[in-house]
């Protein structure tokens, strides 16, 4: 049974106006607390050792930790038993971990009737058990069940809750995930989404209690709050922040409910991430894999913009990353010394599009603010939107202010990691109207690029490992796969550095291979480049002649694996092809080793070069709106504009490949290119970051390895309007994840047998609105299709929009006769979906925003 992703609210208090009475504090006199808090945003992976080890360390260490798990939030004991199993896996004594009898309801996966446990919360035996613990953990589910289980009918604390407070004051750690995080603050958010919170609380409607059935008929859910347990006394906590886009909900909750906005921040914790509260030092440390959104509402103002509709202005948004610290008393931040400020040293300079939906590059909040605003010298402000299907909604404007800054570093190898401080956010009511574009003013240019087909080789013995970019050093499944395909730890591997402007990524990859067991003397960075590298005394641009070196070609023929690092893919092709377009001797040698059994691998740019037609520039909106260009403006063009194509190296014989697919939202770019230049009998492949597509040429099959997914685009049944560009019907979209496979010739998709079908067994039954941008839940394409369409009984179709100013596209994703979803838990209890054959229609539109 899957864990419900939205709380089943048994009882709740709706915010009916901006004058909602303040909730009473759960506990006073918290200054003497010696214990700590581990507040996790949900979706903790079993592999997230940082959070587990931090929790056990605060509990007294693996040998001394005595942990009580409170299962009350869940409908089953499964998540409690899984957390106990995980703690034991990390070294805790299983006999010292107890699932405490705290619940107000029966569990569906046991023979007992646990609803009787409600009567035990004042039992002295239970209190004594709790007082002997060094840690308490609250599992996820419905936060109202936790509070109702631990509080008496008159609202007073039970003896069990008093005992938890007692050990917390004396030094125990209190932790929780999802619902177990929501209960940590006095003001406990129990329901709602960003659009619902904004519409319900800022439009000054008369509010009513709404039944769950009524809510399921709406596209949005109003904010509801209740009194929490108050272990954290310094602001409101929200969870699942990034995945469910709850920034708007948190802002409204903080503005309407927090009595001391000038004193406290409000905190939104991402999934697979925790904020660790040290009461003694009055600091919070971010731990895990994503971030914590921090809202400063001290200068926020309610501003009337339209009749009966208001907005919020002067909110300050910060986003902290693992290793960062927050002094909640001083309302200040601390960053690791290796972080580099972006202010005045911005790396990017491109015109970022507004965040409007699943075609938006960097479509989740932290990534969007990082790349599109704070580390982008061309941008002073950026916008996003949220609205219902009738067009009633809000504009969210983000602006650089005097105290705005970003802090960057690499993490987990060479993944970008950003922290952001003091971005100004204004929320303004708007109405949106979308109409078919009957006479476009956009100038769409068809590609003039022509690429002769690479010769097809039926007898290729080697394999390909094509990674979508941002490959983490900790991604053991991808590294081990590459090494095994190269012959194991005795592999002889050459690294092609040409795509990059520095040797950092080549040196990092070599270091990673050594960490995974390959001998250092068997790894060489090959002298292949057509440009100089920064930070070296040698002028590597002289290496251009090496492409026809007999000695280097001979060395390449002795390798069992070749890896192309990321950067600019045109630099790879420019370093391996002669000026007349013919293959150099080194490229011929690479083909020789590949045909005879070597594995070729690459990430980012090293993935782009794998297909015959190479996607080298442009974004989804640019490709659909303007088509293609013959000019290339270096790396900037990789961030936006019309698509730019060149001839790739053609190692992958079965279609087009695109990369950074989830983070840069390149579905539209891939569709436009596949329609204009692809073989419609073949699939096209979009590979997510930290993920690889492994190509077995002998079996003519691919499999997914890593942490994300691969999007498959099938244009075999597409209908297009030849008189109007980018007007498509019946594009088939599939999304597959690790363990899934595809036959390259028949296009048959083989789903991991551990997954169960969602068809006619949908878990959700809710009306959903369009995906509109940074305030829309499930902003990544695969999650959007999974939760809102294939695993939702009410949805037959769902929409998203991509637009800039008054022109754009309506995307309609439909369940087809062949559509299906497949679900399983992975990495603990994270939802993992595969999606098969969802139909997509793309229609050009005019946009009117008022």
């Amino acid at each position: 049974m899957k864990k419900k992703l939205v709380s089943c609210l048994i009882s709740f208090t709706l915010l009916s106006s901006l004058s909602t009475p303040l909730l009473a504090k759960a506990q006073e006199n918290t200054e003497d607390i010696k214990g700590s808090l581990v507040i996790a945003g949900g979706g903790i992976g079993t592999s997230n050792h940082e959070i587990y080890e931090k929790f056990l360390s605060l509990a007294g260490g693996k040998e001394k930790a005595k942990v009580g798990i409170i299962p009350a939030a869940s409908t089953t004991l499964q998540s409690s038993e899984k957390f106990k199993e995980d703690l034991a896996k990390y070294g805790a004594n299983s006999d010292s971990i107890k699932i405490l009898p705290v619940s107000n309801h029966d569990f569906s996966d046991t023979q007992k009737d646990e609803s009787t446990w409600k009567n035990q919360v004042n039992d002295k035996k239970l209190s004594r058990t709790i007082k002997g613990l060094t840690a308490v953990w609250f599992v996820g589910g419905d936060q109202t069940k936790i509070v109702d289980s631990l509080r008496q009918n008159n609202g007073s604390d039970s003896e069990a809750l008093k005992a938890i407070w007692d050990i917390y004051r004396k030094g125990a750690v209190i932790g929780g995930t999802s619902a177990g995080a929501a209960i940590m603050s006095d003001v406990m958010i129990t329901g709602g989404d960003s659009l619902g919170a904004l519409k319900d609380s800022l439009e000054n409607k008369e509010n009513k209690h709404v039944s769950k059935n009524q809510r399921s008929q709406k596209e949005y859910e109003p904010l509801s709050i209740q009194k929490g347990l108050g272990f954290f006394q310094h602001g409101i906590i929200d969870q699942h922040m990034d995945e469910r886009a709850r920034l708007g909900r948190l802002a409204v909750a903080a503005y309407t409910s927090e009595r001391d906005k000038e004193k406290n921040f409000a905190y939104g914790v991402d999934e697979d991430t925790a904020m660790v509260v040290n009461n003694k030092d009055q600091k919070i440390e971010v731990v895990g894999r994503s971030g914590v959104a921090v809202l400063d509402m001290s200068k926020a103002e309610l501003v009337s913009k339209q009749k009966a509709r208001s907005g919020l202005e002067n909110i300050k948004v910060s986003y902290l990353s693992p290793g960062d610290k927050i002094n909640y008393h001083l309302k200040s931040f601390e960053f690791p010394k290796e972080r580099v400020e972006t202010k005045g040293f911005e790396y990017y300079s491109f015109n970022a599009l507004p965040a409007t939906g699943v075609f938006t590059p960097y479509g989740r909040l932290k990534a969007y603010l990082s790349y599109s605003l704070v580390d982008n010298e061309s941008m002073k402000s950026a916008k996003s939107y949220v609205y219902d299907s009738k067009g009633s909604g809000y504009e969210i404007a983000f602006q650089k202010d005097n105290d705005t800054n970003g802090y960057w570093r690499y993490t987990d190898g060479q993944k970008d990691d950003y922290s952001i401080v003091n971005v100004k956010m204004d929320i303004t009511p708007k109405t949106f109207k979308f109409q078919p574009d009957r006479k476009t003013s956009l100038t769409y240019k068809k590609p003039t690029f022509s690429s002769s087909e690479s010769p097809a080789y039926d007898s290729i013995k080697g394999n390909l490992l094509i990674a979508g970019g941002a490959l983490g050093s900790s991604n053991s499944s991808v590294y081990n796969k590459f090494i095994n395909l190269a012959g194991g730890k005795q592999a002889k591997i050459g690294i092609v550095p040409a795509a990059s402007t520095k040797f950092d990524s080549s040196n990092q990859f070599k270091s990673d291979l050594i960490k995974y067991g390959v001998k250092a003397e068997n790894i060489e960075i090959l002298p292949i480049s057509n440009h100089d590298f920064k930070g070296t005394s040698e002028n590597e641009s002289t290496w251009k002649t090496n492409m026809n070196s007999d000695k280097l070609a001979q060395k390449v023929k002795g390798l069992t694996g070749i890896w192309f690092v990321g950067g600019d893919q045109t630099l790879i092709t420019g370093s391996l092809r002669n000026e007349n377009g013919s293959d150099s001797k080194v490229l011929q040698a690479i083909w020789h080793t590949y045909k005879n059994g070597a594995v070729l691998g690459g990430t980012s740019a090293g993935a782009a070069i794998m297909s015959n037609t190479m996607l080298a520039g442009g974004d989804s909106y640019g490709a659909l709106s303007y088509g293609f260009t013959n000019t290339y403006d270096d790396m900037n063009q990789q961030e936006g504009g019309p698509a730019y194509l060149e001839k790739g190296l053609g190692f992958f014989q079965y279609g087009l490949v695109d990369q950074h697919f989830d983070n840069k939202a390149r579905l539209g770019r891939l569709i436009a290119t596949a329609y204009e230049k692809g073989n419609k009998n073949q699939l096209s492949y979009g590979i997510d970051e930290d993920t690889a597509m492994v190509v077995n040429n002998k079996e003519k099959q691919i499999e997914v390895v890593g942490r994300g997914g691969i999007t498959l685009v099938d244009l075999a049944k597409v209908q297009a309007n030849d008189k109007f560009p980018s007007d498509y019907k019946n594009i088939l979209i599939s999304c597959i994840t690790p363990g899934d496979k595809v036959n390259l010739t028949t296009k048959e998709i083989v789903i991991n047998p551990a997954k169960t079908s969602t068809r006619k067994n949908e878990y959700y039954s809710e009306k959903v609105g369009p995906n509109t941008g940074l305030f829309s839940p499930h902003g990544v394409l695969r999650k959007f299709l999974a939760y809102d369409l294939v695993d939702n009984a009410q949805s037959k179709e769902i929409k998203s929009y991509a637009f800039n100013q008054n022109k754009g596209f309506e995307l309609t994703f439909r369940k087809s006769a062949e559509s299906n979803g497949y679900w399983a838990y992975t990495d603990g209890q994270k939802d993992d979906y595969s999606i098969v054959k969802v139909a997509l229609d793309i229609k050009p539109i005019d946009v009117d925003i008022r």
Side-chain angles (χ1 to χ4, degrees):
M1 174 68 74
K2 283 178 282 185
K3 186 170 68 176
K4 191 72 169 170
L5 287 179
V6 290
S7 299
C8 297
L9 304 178
I10 295 176
S11 62
F12 51 88
T13 303
L14 289 173
L15 286 174
S16 58
S17 73
L18 296 180
S19 59
T20 301
L22 296 166
L23 297 176
K25 277 189 176 288
Q27 291 277 334
E28 298 288 353
N29 302 320
T30 59
E31 294 80 4
D32 61 340
I33 294 174
K34 297 178 182 177
S36 303
L37 299 171
V38 176
I39 306 174
I44 302 176
T46 299
S47 62
N48 194 329
H49 64 89
E50 293 94 345
I51 292 180
Y52 281 98
E53 289 175 356
K54 176 65 78 170
F55 181 69
L56 287 173
S57 174
L58 293 170
K62 298 173 183 178
E63 293 78 15
K64 297 181 180 180
K66 295 180 180 180
V67 184
I69 300 172
I70 293 182
S74 184
T75 57
T76 71
L77 282 179
Q78 181 181 5
S79 53
S80 299
E81 291 167 346
K82 185 68 174 72
F83 188 71
K84 178 177 179 178
E85 177 186 315
D86 289 341
L87 289 177
K89 187 180 297 183
Y90 280 95
N93 186 340
S94 183
D95 293 336
S96 297
I97 308 170
K98 302 180 185 299
I99 298 175
L100 301 175
V102 177
S103 177
N104 66 352
H105 61 280
D106 189 25
F107 293 101
S108 62
D109 57 347
T110 68
Q111 299 298 317
K112 297 179 181 179
D113 180 5
E114 289 85 6
S115 64
T116 61
W117 286 358
K118 172 68 174 174
N119 301 322
Q120 297 184 39
V121 291
N122 290 311
D123 184 84
K124 291 182 179 179
K125 182 180 178 181
L126 177 57
S127 295
R128 285 195 299 271
T129 298
I130 292 172
K131 288 182 179 181
L133 300 174
T134 62
V136 173
W137 183 268
F138 295 88
V139 301
D142 179 354
Q143 47 265 51
T144 64
K145 292 178 179 178
I146 300 174
V147 175
D148 188 58
S149 299
L150 284 170
R151 284 224 174 91
Q152 301 184 91
N153 293 335
N154 64 3
S156 63
D157 292 356
S158 66
E159 293 301 316
L161 182 52
K162 290 177 182 177
I164 294 172
W165 268 100
D166 182 64
I167 63 171
Y168 176 41
R169 288 183 186 279
K170 292 177 179 178
V173 58
I174 310 296
T177 184
S178 187
I183 55 97
M184 293 289 181
S185 50
D186 278 330
V187 176
M188 179 177 75
I189 300 175
T190 57
D193 53 38
S194 285
L195 180 58
L198 291 167
K199 291 181 72 63
D200 189 68
S201 295
L202 299 186
E203 293 186 10
N204 299 319
K205 295 178 179 179
E206 289 186 11
N207 217 329
K208 315 111 246 158
H209 291 283
V210 184
S211 71
K212 182 188 173 189
N213 184 58
Q214 287 175 307
R215 286 199 310 279
S216 71
Q217 301 304 313
K218 283 191 171 186
E219 296 174 4
Y220 50 86
E221 183 183 355
L223 173 70
S224 56
I225 63 171
Q226 192 173 304
K227 181 180 177 181
L229 298 185
F231 298 120
F232 181 70
Q233 291 278 301
H234 308 284
I236 297 177
I237 303 289
D238 207 349
Q239 15 76 48
H240 296 282
M241 179 58 54
D242 55 346
E243 175 57 31
R244 301 187 201 176
R246 286 174 166 171
L247 189 73
R249 159 174 127 161
L250 179 59
V252 172
Y255 185 83
T256 59
S257 306
E258 190 62 70
R259 60 176 156 186
D260 47 3
K261 294 188 290 289
E262 291 77 17
K263 180 181 177 182
N264 292 329
F265 286 143
Y267 303 87
V269 190
D270 288 351
E271 294 185 355
D272 220 5
T273 307
M275 51 183 276
V276 178
V277 181
N278 184 317
N279 286 296
K280 182 179 178 181
D281 293 341
Q282 297 185 327
K283 289 184 180 180
I284 296 166
E285 181 183 5
V286 182
V287 175
R289 290 178 173 156
S290 188
V292 173
V294 182
L295 291 184
D296 184 347
M297 306 295 294
S298 60
K299 296 181 181 179
E301 298 175 333
L302 185 72
V303 181
S304 296
K305 296 290 186 180
Q306 295 182 6
K307 184 178 180 180
R309 300 184 71 194
S310 299
L312 283 173
E313 293 185 348
N314 295 322
I315 301 166
K316 284 295 181 75
V317 178
S318 300
Y319 227 115
L320 283 295
S321 294
D324 299 342
K325 293 183 179 180
I326 306 161
N327 186 315
Y328 55 77
H329 178 64
L330 299 176
K331 295 180 75 173
S332 62
F333 305 118
E334 299 175 15
F335 302 101
K337 61 182 180 181
E338 59 267 28
R339 286 198 184 277
V340 178
E341 290 188 41
T342 63
K343 191 172 185 177
F345 305 95
E346 291 84 357
Y347 183 79
Y348 295 95
S349 181
F350 67 94
N351 293 320
L353 294 173
T356 58
V358 294
F359 271 11
T360 301
Y362 316 114
R364 292 264 48 92
L365 181 65
K366 186 171 78 162
Y368 183 74
L369 293 182
S370 299
Y371 295 103
S372 297
L373 186 63
V374 299
D375 201 17
N376 189 337
E377 66 176 0
S378 296
M379 301 292 291
K380 303 300 180 186
S381 63
K383 292 180 180 179
S384 186
Y385 307 93
V386 62
Y387 44 84
D388 60 22
S389 59
K390 295 180 180 179
S392 175
Y394 297 85
E395 175 187 270
I396 302 97
F398 299 97
Q399 297 179 19
K400 287 178 180 174
D401 217 335
N402 291 333
D403 56 351
T404 302
N405 208 340
Y407 298 85
W408 169 90
R409 69 174 176 183
Y410 278 138
T411 186
D412 192 15
Q414 287 198 307
K415 291 183 180 180
D416 286 327
D417 182 38
Y418 283 96
S419 301
I420 301 159
V421 297
N422 296 324
V423 170
K424 182 175 178 286
M425 179 174 74
D426 298 333
I427 302 173
T428 307
K430 297 282 185 179
T431 55
F432 302 79
K433 189 174 183 180
F434 304 108
Q435 293 182 317
D437 186 353
R438 303 297 184 188
K439 188 177 180 181
T440 184
S441 61
L442 301 177
T443 303
Y444 181 94
K445 294 183 178 179
K446 286 185 170 291
T448 58
F449 164 78
S450 178
S451 174
S452 58
E453 290 295 320
S454 294
Y457 296 101
D458 292 329
S459 59
I460 295 176
K461 297 177 182 178
N463 301 292
L464 298 172
L465 189 147
I466 310 174
L471 178 61
S473 295
S474 64
N475 195 330
S476 58
S477 57
V478 172
Y479 278 95
N480 287 330
K481 190 72 174 181
F482 179 73
I483 292 167
N484 289 338
L485 290 172
K489 295 180 180 180
Q490 302 301 316
K492 296 181 179 179
I493 296 172
I495 300 171
V496 177
S500 185
T501 58
K502 298 186 293 185
F503 280 112
D504 292 4
S505 51
S506 298
N507 289 329
Q508 179 68 56
F509 189 72
K510 180 176 180 178
S511 174
D512 290 340
L513 290 176
I514 294 169
K515 182 178 70 175
Y516 283 101
V518 180
K519 294 180 179 179
E521 59 267 27
N522 287 354
I523 309 168
E524 183 175 351
I525 298 174
L526 302 174
I528 297 172
S529 176
N530 64 354
H531 60 280
D532 191 24
F533 286 84
K534 297 176 183 177
T536 68
S537 57
E538 185 175 357
N539 181 5
E540 289 83 7
S541 64
T542 60
W543 287 0
K544 185 169 183 177
T545 58
N546 289 348
M547 71 171 72
N548 287 305
S549 164
D550 291 324
K551 182 179 179 181
L552 182 57
Q554 196 62 36
K555 179 180 290 185
V556 166
K557 289 180 181 180
L559 299 174
T560 60
I562 298 171
W563 184 264
F564 297 87
V565 302
D568 182 345
Q569 45 266 51
T570 65
L571 297 178
I572 301 176
T573 55
S575 301
L576 286 171
R577 282 220 173 89
N578 296 308
E579 290 186 5
N580 63 4
S582 62
D583 292 357
S584 66
K585 291 181 179 180
V586 169
L587 182 53
Q588 292 173 22
I590 293 172
W591 269 103
H592 174 86
T593 59
Y594 175 43
K595 287 188 288 182
N596 285 281
V599 58
L600 306 185
T603 183
S604 186
I609 52 97
M610 292 290 180
S611 48
N612 191 58
T613 296
M614 179 175 76
L615 288 83
D619 66 354
S620 287
Y621 181 82
L624 291 171
S625 298
Y626 307 109
F628 298 81
T629 179
N630 292 326
T631 60
Y632 182 63
D633 184 21
D634 197 33
M635 292 287 285
N636 287 336
Q637 196 161 328
Q638 295 192 23
E639 302 300 329
Y644 174 72
L645 307 178
E646 281 194 8
K647 180 176 173 59
L649 299 184
F651 301 125
F652 181 63
Q653 307 264 305
Y654 302 96
L656 298 172
V657 171
D658 208 346
Q659 19 77 41
H660 294 283
F661 208 71
D662 51 350
N663 203 28
K664 298 195 180 184
R666 285 173 164 170
L667 178 63
R669 173 172 107 162
L670 184 58
I671 288 170
T673 306
Y675 181 78
E676 298 287 2
K677 301 302 298 181
N679 180 341
K680 294 179 179 59
N681 292 318
Q682 293 179 328
L683 296 174
S684 295
Y685 304 83
I687 309 171
D688 289 350
E689 294 185 351
D690 218 5
T691 308
M693 180 171 87
V694 180
V695 181
N696 184 318
N697 285 298
K698 182 179 179 181
E699 301 293 334
K700 293 183 170 54
Q701 178 179 268
I702 69 160
E703 65 174 315
V704 188
V705 176
R707 292 174 173 154
I710 296 174
T711 300
L712 311 173
V713 175
D714 189 344
L715 297 183
K717 299 179 180 179
V718 70
Q719 301 171 23
N721 183 348
D722 292 333
K723 296 181 180 180
F724 210 102
S726 302
D727 187 347
Y728 299 110
K729 291 183 179 179
N730 293 327
I731 302 166
L732 290 181
I733 304 295
S734 301
C735 302
I736 57 176
T737 60
D740 299 338
K741 299 178 180 180
V742 179
N743 185 294
L744 289 163
T745 53
T746 67
K747 301 192 291 189
E748 179 188 6
I749 300 171
V750 180
I751 300 297
N752 184 341
K755 294 179 180 175
T756 57
S757 171
T758 63
R759 189 166 187 169
K760 297 183 179 179
N761 188 37
E762 292 87 354
Y763 188 76
Y764 302 100
S765 183
E766 298 167 355
K767 191 173 182 179
V768 296
N771 185 285
T772 60
L774 302 180
F775 277 16
S776 288
H778 319 307
V780 175
L781 177 68
R782 176 164 49 92
K783 302 288 185 71
F784 174 53
L785 296 181
Y787 292 116
D788 287 359
L789 184 63
V790 299
D791 204 13
N792 188 345
Q794 276 203 51
S795 291
K796 304 301 180 187
E797 66 177 38
I798 53 177
K799 294 182 184 293
S800 182
Y801 295 88
F803 56 89
N804 186 25
Q805 297 179 342
N806 63 341
K807 292 291 182 180
F809 301 92
E810 178 185 76
L811 316 177
T812 303
F813 297 91
R814 298 179 283 107
K815 287 178 179 173
S816 71
E818 301 171 286
S819 296
N820 206 343
Y822 298 86
W823 169 90
Y825 277 139
T826 186
D827 192 15
Q829 290 191 309
K830 291 183 178 180
D831 289 318
D832 180 33
Y833 282 97
S834 299
I835 297 140
V836 173
K837 296 185 178 178
V838 165
L840 167 62
D841 302 334
I842 301 177
K843 182 181 292 295
I845 55 171
D846 288 320
V847 183
D848 183 19
I849 304 174
R850 297 185 181 182

